[in-house]
Amino acid sequence: MHGQWTGLGEPPQATDGMAPDNWGADGARAYVGKAEWAAVEFVAPADLRAETATDKPCDGPYAWAVIFACFVSLMLSIGINDAYGVYQQHYQLTEFPDATATIISWVGTVQFLVMCVGGVLSGFLCERFDTRVLNAVGAVVMGAAFVAGSFCRSIGGLMATQGLLYGVGASFPFIAGTSIPTQWFTKRRGLATGIALSGSGVGGMWMTSATTAMISSVGRPWAMRITGIVAMLAVLAVSPWMRVRIVPSRSEHTIDWSMVRNPRFLVLLGAVVFAVAAYFGPFYQMPSYSVVVLHKSETWGSNMDTLMNGLSVVGRLAIGLLADSVGPLNLLIANTALAAVSLLALWVAFDTVGTLIAVALLFGFAIGGIVSVIPVVAAQVFGLARIPSIIGLLFIGYFAGGLLGVPPMSALLDNVGHRTDYTGAIWYMALLPVCSLLFLLVLRLMLTRQLRVKI
């Protein structure tokens, strides 16, 4: 059968991360060798029509410079969003004590939702225009948003600046930093992507501590000005290295909306919705929970966010190291199960200091691995050439997850828990990763029914 691999003997070998020409066009083939683990490849036919955007080789020194640039860009985009729990605590307990937790949470929620909506557009733009220029534009808008927010004295003003405007700017380094790393590596793709995406955890970790210290010493306005200026300068500095290596052919310059009719994509999208919904709840509410329920100081509460972000870095790096040998989807399933267990078995059942620390450790590690491996799973299942556009489409799931996560949880805290009883909100948070896990198990069954397959 010319032009199609029958599954007998050695499979055709791919080079440079591209699908070999004699694979079938259906985009999915599985080869089970003599080894205990079977290697499974899922490569989209879009790779066959890809063009090289640069003569820089993959897996080389320049590729690692790109990873560093992505690390910094994510550290100062999504990392700042991860640290919003400090602002949530400050607004809720000090600056706007009469406002509901739901209203205050919308500042950070709008910030993230706009990043996701902008991600769909920026994924398309990254395939048409120079990502280095787009990253630099995003840096300027990010910085301007926080400086403008420093002069706001109302929740509405903060929602427009710290939320809306910052989300617009951050969407460019967010989508570029998330999608570019998979294109620059073939041998250590999981590790490289894990290192790049660990930037968000590092950013959340040090920005949480730095924001707490700045608010205490110079006040919230100057804390925002310093944050905006640092973010702008750092992302501008690394923008020259924020470039793609593979682009679709010129005839393919459009968002691939056909993906929304792909059953595998829809199932992955469902898993992403609930995973993202589960992501921000603990980061937003654990600081105030520490103060209200455990009667700890505000600084101690913000340290819980720092601890979660620190473990999320460890999770990203660990998953990156293991993804190439164990399989990214296998690890995504394992980490989602760990996130569910950490909330259901610990935070739901106990309200002690030791338990909260354990939740921060386990959930931080698990959620870090989840966010770092999603782009690797997408690249493996759908191919490399359209990965910015595909990640952009997945941001629809990020957007839906943002709506499904913090706002309902905060409403439960306000209306059922009366801002003091977190039980209903914690139960809600705990069920979200369970739903994500169910979607991931369905996706794995769609790809293969063999339990011991690396995928």
Side-chain angles (χ1 to χ4, degrees):
M1 296 179 62
H2 180 70
Q4 182 137 338
W5 179 51
T6 63
L8 301 176
E10 289 296 322
Q13 297 299 310
T15 59
D16 197 29
M18 297 298 184
D21 291 337
N22 55 337
W23 273 34
D26 61 1
R29 288 292 181 267
Y31 168 68
V32 182
K34 297 181 180 180
E36 183 178 21
W37 287 87
V40 178
E41 292 281 352
F42 298 94
V43 183
D47 282 349
L48 300 177
R49 300 187 297 273
E51 296 176 343
T52 302
T54 173
D55 58 355
K56 302 292 184 181
C58 63
D59 297 312
Y62 190 89
W64 285 109
V66 173
I67 294 300
F68 175 74
C70 292
F71 175 93
V72 174
S73 293
L74 290 172
M75 179 176 68
L76 274 307
S77 56
I78 191 66
I80 288 178
N81 184 257
D82 282 352
Y84 179 73
V86 177
Y87 288 103
Q88 172 86 17
Q89 176 183 262
H90 174 76
Y91 296 151
Q92 189 172 324
L93 301 179
T94 304
E95 195 163 344
F96 307 109
D98 296 328
T100 64
T102 304
I103 292 297
I104 294 172
S105 71
W106 270 105
V107 177
T109 301
V110 167
Q111 188 180 78
F112 180 71
L113 293 181
V114 174
M115 288 171 66
C116 297
V117 173
V120 179
L121 175 62
S122 60
F124 168 62
L125 293 176
C126 284
E127 292 183 353
R128 292 184 63 91
F129 303 105
D130 194 328
T131 50
R132 295 169 292 184
V133 176
L134 295 174
N135 209 64
V137 171
V140 174
V141 176
M142 284 167 53
F146 256 61
V147 172
S150 69
F151 296 98
C152 295
R153 298 295 182 269
S154 68
I155 295 178
L158 291 168
M159 203 173 294
T161 53
Q162 187 179 8
L164 178 63
L165 187 59
Y166 179 83
V168 170
S171 66
F172 290 102
F174 185 21
I175 185 66
T178 302
S179 59
I180 289 175
T182 57
Q183 294 190 343
W184 283 92
F185 286 84
T186 56
K187 297 178 182 179
R188 293 178 292 273
R189 182 178 296 156
L191 175 61
T193 304
I195 291 173
L197 269 67
S198 69
S200 61
V202 172
M205 182 172 60
W206 75 263
M207 280 304 307
T208 297
S209 299
T211 301
T212 301
M214 288 188 293
I215 290 176
S216 299
S217 59
V218 297
R220 193 266 302 174
W222 271 106
M224 294 188 72
R225 290 166 198 153
I226 294 171
T227 299
I229 293 170
V230 169
M232 179 177 63
L233 295 178
V235 177
L236 278 174
V238 299
S239 290
W241 290 274
M242 292 291 292
R243 65 188 302 177
V244 297
R245 192 178 67 87
I246 302 169
V247 297
S249 63
R250 295 186 183 277
S251 63
E252 298 295 321
H253 276 317
T254 181
I255 297 178
D256 191 1
W257 292 107
S258 65
M259 277 291 169
V260 300
R261 298 190 298 271
N262 185 319
R264 293 170 179 167
F265 178 81
L266 293 177
V267 173
L268 178 60
L269 185 65
V272 168
V273 168
F274 286 102
V276 172
Y279 184 99
F280 287 106
F283 283 99
Y284 280 21
Q285 294 302 335
M286 199 172 281
S288 61
Y289 174 91
S290 302
V291 176
V292 175
V293 177
L294 300 181
H295 309 293
K296 307 299 287 186
S297 68
E298 292 188 18
T299 300
W300 195 93
S302 67
N303 286 340
M304 289 298 96
D305 267 7
T306 302
L307 184 61
M308 277 193 292
N309 277 300
L311 265 294
S312 76
V313 175
V314 177
R316 286 170 169 85
L317 295 176
I319 296 306
L321 285 169
L322 294 172
D324 298 316
S325 58
V326 178
L329 181 57
N330 292 335
L331 289 175
L332 182 56
I333 290 171
N335 272 45
T336 305
L338 178 60
V341 168
S342 69
L343 298 179
L344 279 173
L346 295 178
W347 205 5
V348 166
F350 304 98
D351 57 358
T352 64
V353 171
T355 301
L356 190 67
I357 293 174
V359 172
L361 291 170
L362 293 176
F363 182 83
F365 178 88
I367 207 67
I370 289 170
V371 298
S372 69
V373 82
I374 286 175
V376 184
V377 172
Q380 184 173 17
V381 176
F382 304 111
L384 294 175
R386 306 308 306 275
I387 194 65
S389 181
I390 291 169
I391 294 296
L393 286 174
L394 282 178
F395 278 174
I396 296 173
Y398 282 58
F399 178 86
L403 287 175
L404 187 64
V406 174
M409 178 202 65
S410 299
L412 284 171
L413 177 60
D414 284 330
N415 301 314
V416 178
H418 306 291
R419 301 185 68 179
T420 58
D421 185 354
Y422 285 70
T423 303
I426 295 171
W427 265 108
Y428 183 79
M429 281 187 279
L431 292 176
L432 294 172
V434 175
C435 294
S436 180
L437 179 62
L438 295 177
F439 275 96
L440 291 173
L441 292 174
V442 171
L443 177 61
R444 198 183 192 285
L445 288 174
M446 293 174 71
L447 297 175
T448 178
R449 295 181 181 273
Q450 300 182 45
L451 294 179
R452 298 183 65 80
V453 168
K454 182 184 74 172
I455 181 173

